[in-house]
Amino acid sequence: MKQLTVLFLILFAFTSCNYSQSKENNKSTEQKAFKNITKFDTTTKTIHIYVALCDNKYQGIVPVPAKIGNGQDLNSNLYWGCSFGIRTYFKKSKEWDLIKSQKLDSVRLERLVFKHKQKNYYLVADAYDGRYIKQCTKDFLKSSAGQTRDTININKTTIGISGNAKLISYIGHDGLMDFQLPDSYQNTDNIKRDVIILACYSKKYFAPHLRSANVNPLVWTTGLMCPEAYTIHDAITGYLKKENNSQIRTRAALAYSKYQKCSEGAAKNLLVTNW
């Protein structure tokens, strides 16, 4: 009996040690994730797009063909490597130059950095493994509220990303239809950020989380939609021309109408602006 007691105490101590170490590792990982870096070249401006890769297996979507619905395959994914995916569409754009591509980690499979050909704007797009759609959604919301602010270095220039970006966007399945997150994301710095959310019923599901974030919704949706790149591409074109919300939304709707072959009226009913 005495031997069993000693063995139990040893096992308990070992388990407790592992638990404490695990908690510490998680804390360390979390601290790395929530950066608050505010020093960057303010003469530059940035657009940051968060893309949750389309994923038949890990997301509650109506299944698409297997090849384009593999959330771990960048090159064939509907929202990234396909003809109207972010990577392919922006690489072919006459308005943007791709200046950097890199893999970040096992969650963010690729980061692309584009530079506008005429204006001092950078566009950063992150492709999240489809199984981590929840993390992608959280990162977008935290950036929108200014809770996470970060920078990257491009050609000896430090540019602002995440909450340091002027325009922040989410592209992909509306995971908030499948999982729950804290009710709201409180703004931390009184800066109003512009957001575009291209996902099904994004106004209905994202609005409760962004009420306290002090954001300006340029474009979001009232129904089912396909969040391919032409919609945000043309919305950004208007944004860089300093058009108002209504004009930017119209550009987005016209692009959607053209490529989805639906009426302009239907596209305008789907893609809306403001609260």
Side-chain angles (χ1 to χ4, degrees):
M1 183 69 180
K2 192 172 183 180
Q3 289 177 329
L4 287 174
T5 303
V6 171
L7 179 60
F8 173 78
L9 290 172
I10 291 172
L11 288 172
F12 179 77
F14 178 77
T15 304
S16 298
C17 180
N18 279 348
Y19 176 72
S20 298
Q21 186 176 9
S22 176
K23 268 185 82 175
E24 191 60 36
N25 287 340
N26 287 339
K27 184 178 179 182
S28 175
T29 302
E30 189 173 346
Q31 286 174 341
K32 289 179 182 178
F34 301 110
K35 293 185 178 180
N36 190 27
I37 303 172
T38 58
K39 292 184 178 180
F40 61 96
D41 183 354
T42 55
T43 65
T44 67
K45 296 179 181 179
T46 308
I47 297 164
H48 196 158
I49 303 176
Y50 292 86
V51 181
L53 296 180
C54 180
D55 199 309
N56 286 335
K57 183 176 180 180
Y58 295 102
Q59 297 171 8
I61 63 174
V62 175
V64 298
K67 186 176 181 180
I68 63 176
N70 182 344
Q72 293 71 54
D73 183 357
L74 287 163
N75 296 327
S76 299
N77 197 268
L78 178 63
Y79 302 149
W80 197 257
C82 280
S83 298
F84 299 131
I86 292 291
R87 182 175 70 183
T88 305
Y89 199 85
F90 275 85
K91 281 178 70 174
K92 292 180 178 179
S93 171
K94 296 179 180 179
E95 300 175 27
W96 297 92
D97 287 321
L98 178 63
I99 58 176
K100 187 174 183 179
S101 172
Q102 66 177 128
K103 178 176 179 178
L104 296 180
D105 48 46
S106 60
V107 176
R108 297 167 298 173
L109 301 182
E110 187 171 43
R111 167 172 287 170
L112 303 178
V113 182
F114 295 88
K115 177 72 172 60
H116 196 267
K117 292 186 177 182
Q118 297 179 344
K119 299 182 182 294
N120 197 18
Y121 257 91
Y122 290 88
L123 187 150
V124 176
D126 289 340
Y128 282 66
D129 182 326
R131 79 182 75 188
Y132 299 112
I133 184 173
K134 188 173 185 178
Q135 186 62 52
C136 183
T137 304
K138 288 164 66 176
D139 289 350
F140 162 75
L141 290 169
K142 288 168 188 169
S143 295
S144 298
Q147 294 179 3
T148 302
R149 293 178 285 184
D150 204 356
T151 61
I152 56 174
N153 294 318
I154 301 294
N155 297 332
K156 298 182 179 180
T157 300
T158 301
I159 68 172
I161 62 171
S162 60
N164 287 326
K166 295 293 184 183
L167 169 59
I168 304 166
S169 177
Y170 174 84
I171 302 288
H173 170 60
D174 189 343
L176 294 173
M177 300 169 74
D178 306 323
F179 53 76
Q180 294 185 337
L181 292 177
D183 289 339
S184 64
Y185 286 79
Q186 186 71 40
N187 181 273
T188 59
D189 54 15
N190 295 319
I191 295 175
K192 184 181 287 291
R193 296 168 177 85
D194 300 309
V195 298
I196 293 176
I197 309 172
L198 299 183
C200 297
Y201 294 98
S202 59
K203 182 174 182 178
K204 175 181 177 180
Y205 284 92
F206 278 81
H209 298 283
L210 292 173
R211 287 290 180 189
S212 303
N214 191 33
V215 298
N216 172 33
L218 296 176
V219 183
W220 48 6
T221 68
T222 60
L224 299 173
M225 65 98 61
C226 181
E228 291 179 317
Y230 40 79
T231 306
I232 190 166
H233 177 277
D234 286 14
I236 289 173
T237 297
Y239 183 74
L240 297 188
K241 293 178 180 291
K242 297 184 177 181
E243 294 178 350
N244 61 36
N245 282 26
S246 180
Q247 292 170 315
I248 292 169
R249 171 264 194 151
T250 295
R251 281 183 181 268
L254 290 177
Y256 195 82
S257 171
K258 174 183 175 181
Y259 285 92
Q260 288 293 315
K261 295 179 170 45
C262 64
S263 69
E264 291 181 14
K268 287 181 177 179
N269 286 333
L270 172 66
L271 296 162
V272 296
T273 188
N274 299 320
W275 290 96

